[in-house]
Amino acid sequence: MDMTSDVLDFIAKNLVDHPDDVDITTTEEEDGTIVLELRVHPDDMGKVIGKRGRTAKAIRTMVKAAATREGVNASVEIIE
């Protein structure tokens, strides 16, 4: 795991009630962008997304900052 996925893992596990169910899949697109797919327990979806998507936006901002420090582009997709 690189720093970008470690940041996502840390944030997600500290937000949810079922940290053992946090799963992150990393794929790389043709343009070099890293896509991190976040899966959580169905009961925790609301905690990860937040009111009006504010928590999800904050998570994406933190991961993008970590990726920028590594010199890569990254995006987060929250999978139901």
Side-chain angles (χ1 to χ4, degrees), residues 48-62:
V48 173
I49 294 171
K51 288 186 175 138
R52 296 186 181 173
R54 288 185 182 146
T55 304
K57 185 176 180 187
I59 291 170
R60 287 184 177 108
T61 301
M62 294 294 292

Side-chain angles (χ1 to χ4, degrees), residues 1-79:
M1 245 188 213
D2 55 30
M3 187 173 84
T4 305
S5 54
D6 288 344
V7 168
L8 179 58
D9 186 61
F10 178 80
I11 293 169
K13 285 185 176 178
N14 282 285
L15 280 174
V16 299
D17 291 330
H18 304 93
D20 294 338
D21 291 343
V22 171
D23 181 45
I24 299 169
T25 307
T26 305
T27 57
E28 189 170 343
E29 293 185 344
E30 290 178 25
D31 65 357
T33 300
I34 296 171
V35 178
L36 301 167
E37 294 180 349
L38 173 64
R39 289 176 180 79
V40 296
H41 190 280
D43 294 344
D44 292 327
M45 283 303 286
K47 290 183 177 169
V48 173
I49 294 171
K51 288 186 175 138
R52 296 186 181 173
R54 288 185 182 146
T55 304
K57 185 176 180 187
I59 291 170
R60 287 184 177 108
T61 301
M62 294 294 292
V63 170
K64 194 171 284 270
T68 301
R69 285 190 64 164
E70 291 184 357
V72 295
N73 280 334
S75 66
V76 176
E77 291 183 11
I78 300 169
I79 311 293

